[in-house]
Amino acid sequence: MKKILILLALILAVVAFFWFDAGQYLTLDALKARQGEIDAQYRAAPLLVAGVFFLAYVALTALSIPGAAILTLAAGAIFGLVVGTVLVSFASTIGATLAFLASRFVLGETVQNRFGARLKAINEGIERDGAFYLFSLRLVPIFPFFIVNLLMGLTKIRTLTYFWVSQIGMLLGTVVYVNAGTQLAGISSLRDVASPGLLLSFAGLGLLPWAGKSVMALIKRRRVYARWTKPKRYDRNLIVIGAGAAGLVSSLIAATVKASVTLVESGKMGGDCLNYGCVPSKALIKSAKIAQAMRHADTYGLNPVEPQFSFKAVMARIHAVIAAIEPNDSVERYTGLGVDVVQGHARIVDPWTVEITRNDGGTQRLTTRSIVIAAGASPVVPDLPGLNESGYLTSDTLWDAFAKLDTIPARIAVLGGGPIGCELAQALARLGAQVSQIEMGERLLPREDDDVSALARASQEASGVHVLTGHAAQHVEEGRLILKAGDAETPLAFDALIVAVGRKARLTGYGLEELGIDTAKTVVTDGYLATVYPNIFAAGDVAGPYQFTHTASHQAWYASVNALFGQFRKFKADYRVIPATTFLDPEIARVGLNEREATAQGIAHEVTLWPMHELDRAIAESETGGFVKVLTVPGKDRILGVTIVGAHAGELLAEYVLAMKHGLGLNKILGTIHTYPTMAEANKFAAGAWKRKHAPERLLEWVKRYHAWRRG
Ligand SMILES: Cc1cc2nc3c(=O)[nH]c(=O)nc-3n(C[C@H](O)[C@H](O)[C@H](O)COP(=O)(O)OP(=O)(O)OC[C@H]3O[C@@H](n4cnc5c(N)ncnc54)[C@H](O)[C@@H]3O)c2cc1C
């Protein structure tokens, strides 16, 4: 209400200005004609005239009414150079700041809420360089000042910064105009004041801060390289450290564009995903799902049976799956594609040199123009007393350890309620182990919405997992994990303990410390994935913030292309549309924002929920658990995020990922033919649910009357 009142007052003031034709006083001729009269008034009451002038100037600028240039000339003519400059400088800055504040008050919040996600990059840019932008805008007269005031009000620049940068930025122009005003008689048009040459000089000045910034960047770059001697020539264009998803894709891109590239891997080709992560876990999940289906075969009219199986055979299948995929990531394949693959441990010894301790015992040093660090991440092991003594498994070790067992451990404790802990706990429980899953927080999958976490928990419990949320592991003693919930301590006996409490980037032991490459939780990179050394890049889990195979290969494109061609053009990594799936049964897939994030970020959103139990194919398959939840911009079909819980949710999500990436709204999904009967129809029905909510009820009332009339 307050906003509307202020907006009305502003509009009224502007309308009044034009209604009373106040603009007639703001022309050069009017000023000249009244100069003598105003001079006399100023001599009679200098403070009053100066005060009225000041207020008029502030009001004119605050209301974004054209005429400031004439008033500035008037200041010179009436008050002289010094007093005129002081008056105009403060009045124009105060007026500009008022216009800025009005724009922020009336529209700022709405704009930020509505376009929050899209404005993220602008907000970050303003936070970083807002003063620079503003200074240039004040000096380079491309945009009229009133537009600058109104637009900057929509950003998150601080008011104080806005004030002082505006004052300094406008000072030169003010002096020029006030000075010209002191010679008013000689001016026949505003063009006489600001010649093209003068405007060009201002533009040059406006660009000065940017030039300064570039010079600073150059100095900084020289400084990081200062203590190293650059080689005269290079053995390679690119060396890639690590042959997981990020490293494989980086080296493949380099070889494809005919660069000379070496890929160094100390462990297994394919990294975590193939050997310890996605591939074995999904293979395990499939066996577990079949076991569960056998147990519940009566759902499909068949006799249920308790699955009889050799755990060794299940684990052997997992290793066979890895072996089947292995050739895709093998040394032979990559060598064939033109990559020089070296198996060994890489260490960066200077910004252009990598030393490799080969697995066969030899060492070699290679110089290179650029480096991509793709060293991945490893499981976090909490500092629990007794843990090392009791022994534990992580995703790195469990596949080999379990492969040696004839039967699955009877009691398994899984520490961690994130995606990896959930997937492993459910699969192992379905394969017959008595699994307890321990999570310190109140919910499983804490990044997801409450309803999603609740479904995940229900699904775990239906699979036989004993879920212990709100339980913190204290220590381990004699095959028992001591848990604390509130004040109570409970022992939990286990035969195998799996630690799945997160993964941390590999940051030590290969030269980052010696080179002074910044690390926080990950290698610190800029938007182009470059480290503090502009020729050293990072991609994948080691760079974060995401820890997925698909984000690792996505980043690899940016890191390798920027490493090889950055001197011509650099590409900023695009993180706008990142999908992820937790392969529980039912699957949980998400792209973009969920309700929790949208609310936390203050992004206005509308939620459409469509339940899977209404989908024919889901009913036919007896897989009716879950929903499609779509977040859209209020009143619009633009998708902010989608969470799908259901069978094959990971596959269903692809349509929404494509839609979000290419700006397609729900209307487009609704207008697309989906094969009947498929799970993918759920996407269309969710769009239909959104459409029904936005049906034009009034128009439909009229249409109803029309049909009634047609019936006679
Ligand atoms: C159980 C589990 C399940 C998962 N499931 C999924 C999933 O379903 N979907 C998904 O998208 N993601 C999943 N992930 C995550 C996924 O595995 C990782 O995000 C992905 O492997 C990251 O790839 P990367 O190339 O960054 O690192 P990595 O795959 O870890 O590769 C890094 C490689 O660098 C090597 N290396 C490190 N330092 C050096 C050095 N100095 N010299 C030479 N070599 C070095 C390492 O040996 C390693 O092979 C899962 C992870 C786990 C643990």
Side-chain angles (χ1 to χ4, degrees):
M1 190 62 189
K2 232 185 204 173
K3 286 183 185 173
I4 295 175
L5 283 179
I6 289 189
L7 191 63
L8 280 178
L10 292 174
I11 292 173
L12 216 69
V14 175
V15 169
F17 178 88
F18 289 106
W19 184 267
F20 294 110
D21 194 19
Q24 62 174 304
Y25 303 109
L26 293 173
T27 65
L28 209 50
D29 291 341
L31 177 62
K32 283 181 182 174
R34 303 196 59 204
Q35 190 182 1
E37 186 190 330
I38 302 170
D39 277 346
Q41 284 171 349
Y42 180 50
R43 275 194 300 278
L47 276 181
L48 182 70
V49 172
V52 169
F53 174 86
F54 189 85
L55 290 178
Y57 202 117
V58 170
L60 195 83
T61 339
L63 293 171
S64 305
I65 292 169
I70 297 292
L71 272 192
T72 311
L73 290 176
I78 305 164
F79 309 112
L81 181 61
V82 177
V83 178
T85 301
V86 172
L87 283 174
V88 172
S89 177
F90 279 95
S92 59
T93 310
I94 292 170
T97 308
L98 287 175
F100 158 90
L101 285 173
S103 158
R104 173 168 289 178
F105 183 70
V106 176
L107 288 173
E109 201 184 336
T110 318
V111 169
Q112 287 291 342
N113 283 350
R114 183 153 279 218
F115 303 105
R118 284 192 191 174
L119 290 180
K120 198 168 167 251
I122 296 180
N123 286 336
E124 282 167 6
I126 290 287
E127 198 174 324
R128 205 176 47 244
D129 291 324
F132 280 107
Y133 290 129
L134 180 60
F135 190 69
S136 301
L137 285 172
R138 289 294 184 210
L139 276 169
V140 185
I142 304 173
F143 301 106
F145 281 178
F146 79 92
I147 292 187
V148 175
N149 299 334
L150 301 184
L151 287 183
M152 288 305 266
L154 305 180
T155 72
K156 289 191 165 173
I157 192 168
R158 287 174 50 217
T159 309
L160 195 65
T161 309
Y162 191 79
F163 186 92
W164 71 258
V165 175
S166 295
Q167 181 141 32
I168 296 174
M170 293 192 291
L171 194 60
L172 257 176
T174 303
V175 173
V176 170
Y177 274 78
V178 173
N179 187 44
T182 59
Q183 314 293 322
L184 195 60
I187 301 172
S188 53
S189 118
L190 283 177
R191 283 208 196 99
D192 295 349
V193 183
S195 66
L198 188 73
L199 290 179
L200 218 65
S201 321
F202 276 18
L205 274 175
L207 296 177
L208 253 185
W210 296 104
K213 220 179 157 205
S214 302
V215 172
M216 288 305 290
L218 198 74
I219 293 171
K220 204 173 145 199
R221 200 179 310 171
R222 294 217 155 187
R223 204 182 293 152
V224 292
Y225 288 121
R227 62 190 169 114
W228 313 105
T229 314
K230 197 172 178 174
K232 294 231 160 27
R233 57 174 303 282
Y234 303 89
D235 302 316
R236 299 286 181 268
N237 298 99
L238 186 68
I239 292 181
V240 180
I241 299 175
L248 289 170
V249 174
S250 298
S251 63
L252 179 63
I253 289 170
T256 307
V257 298
K258 306 296 175 201
S260 167
V261 53
T262 290
L263 172 66
V264 194
E265 171 55 57
S266 58
K268 293 185 181 176
M269 292 291 287
D272 278 14
C273 181
L274 173 61
N275 301 293
Y276 318 106
C278 335
V279 172
S281 62
K282 268 77 249 180
L284 175 78
I285 286 168
K286 182 68 186 182
S287 296
K289 194 168 181 184
I290 290 184
Q292 187 75 348
M294 289 168 74
R295 232 172 254 129
H296 296 281
D298 52 337
T299 312
Y300 300 97
L302 308 173
N303 291 342
V305 282
E306 186 54 35
Q308 303 299 312
F309 63 94
S310 141
F311 187 57
K312 225 183 188 78
V314 170
M315 293 309 297
R317 174 183 171 271
I318 291 172
H319 284 282
V321 168
I322 296 174
I325 298 176
E326 234 163 29
N328 295 342
D329 298 353
S330 64
V331 174
E332 295 72 27
R333 174 160 184 252
Y334 274 75
T335 308
L337 290 167
V339 178
D340 167 43
V341 183
V342 181
Q343 292 190 284
H345 180 269
R347 190 171 65 86
I348 309 172
V349 290
D350 72 40
W352 305 278
T353 311
V354 174
E355 184 179 86
I356 308 167
T357 309
R358 288 200 309 264
N359 291 354
D360 66 12
T363 49
Q364 80 187 89
R365 273 189 179 217
L366 290 172
T367 54
T368 178
R369 273 269 177 203
S370 302
I371 296 169
V372 171
I373 301 167
S378 57
V380 170
V381 178
D383 193 12
L384 280 187
L387 184 63
N388 284 329
E389 295 75 12
S390 82
Y392 60 90
L393 297 167
T394 65
S395 56
D396 276 4
T397 54
L398 78 87
W399 310 107
D400 282 343
F402 278 5
K404 293 182 190 129
L405 304 179
D406 290 323
T407 52
I408 192 165
R411 296 164 306 174
I412 300 178
V414 176
L415 205 55
I420 294 177
C422 283
E423 288 182 5
L424 291 174
Q426 185 175 68
L428 294 169
R430 288 176 162 197
L431 288 172
Q434 191 185 317
V435 178
S436 302
Q437 188 181 7
I438 301 112
E439 163 58 46
M440 208 160 60
E442 289 309 312
R443 303 186 297 126
L444 296 180
L445 302 179
R447 288 189 188 158
E448 303 303 331
D449 284 340
D450 289 354
D451 49 0
V452 176
S453 289
L455 275 180
R457 183 180 189 125
S459 151
Q460 293 296 68
E461 289 175 344
S463 300
V465 179
H466 181 212
V467 179
L468 293 162
T469 47
H471 282 69
Q474 298 294 293
H475 56 274
V476 190
E477 56 180 35
E478 296 157 9
R480 295 181 323 159
L481 188 58
I482 310 301
L483 304 173
K484 194 166 182 191
D487 290 334
E489 284 203 345
T490 337
L492 177 74
F494 62 81
D495 300 305
L497 171 60
I498 299 175
V499 173
V501 293
R503 298 167 49 70
K504 59 176 191 314
R506 288 195 187 95
L507 302 172
T508 55
Y510 59 96
L512 303 188
E513 308 90 329
E514 292 81 356
L515 263 81
I517 290 177
D518 296 336
T519 55
K521 283 187 173 168
T522 54
V523 171
V524 175
T525 58
D526 62 14
Y528 304 92
L529 294 170
T531 64
V532 62
Y533 292 91
N535 72 320
I536 303 181
F537 295 77
D541 283 5
V542 80
Y546 307 98
Q547 291 187 330
F548 307 120
T549 296
H550 44 277
T551 45
S553 34
H554 179 71
Q555 288 180 321
W557 186 89
Y558 292 93
S560 56
V561 169
N562 288 338
L564 293 167
F565 301 109
Q567 62 279 23
F568 302 116
R569 185 173 168 196
K570 287 197 291 182
F571 295 86
K572 202 165 191 176
D574 177 0
Y575 296 127
R576 280 171 304 164
V577 184
I578 305 276
T581 298
T582 301
F583 293 86
L584 278 181
D585 184 11
E587 291 179 3
I588 295 168
R590 171 145 77 94
V591 59
L593 297 173
N594 61 13
E595 286 184 80
R596 174 172 287 269
E597 290 169 348
T599 308
Q601 292 170 32
I603 294 171
H605 61 278
E606 194 182 310
V607 180
T608 303
L609 201 79
W610 195 80
M612 286 292 184
H613 64 73
E614 289 187 14
L615 185 69
D616 291 2
R617 181 60 185 267
I619 297 168
E621 303 254 337
S622 295
E623 305 245 38
T624 49
F627 51 72
V628 179
K629 188 199 284 189
V630 186
L631 268 68
T632 41
V633 173
K636 300 217 165 129
D637 74 337
R638 193 161 71 77
I639 305 165
L640 294 170
V642 180
T643 303
I644 305 180
V645 183
H648 309 290
E651 318 287 335
L652 301 195
L653 191 73
E655 184 172 14
Y656 282 115
V657 177
L658 186 80
M660 284 184 73
K661 175 79 189 176
H662 298 286
L664 305 175
L666 289 180
N667 282 317
K668 288 280 191 296
I669 289 181
L670 189 60
T672 304
I673 299 177
H674 290 63
T675 314
Y676 179 84
T678 55
M679 294 298 290
E681 279 188 301
N683 292 345
K684 180 173 170 148
F685 293 143
W690 172 85
K691 189 75 179 174
R692 276 193 300 283
K693 280 200 292 186
H694 294 85
E697 294 300 342
R698 283 220 194 115
L699 182 67
L700 288 175
E701 243 343 282
W702 282 104
V703 177
K704 190 176 167 187
R705 282 183 205 166
Y706 164 76
H707 287 308
W709 171 74
R710 290 267 292 162
R711 289 197 300 273

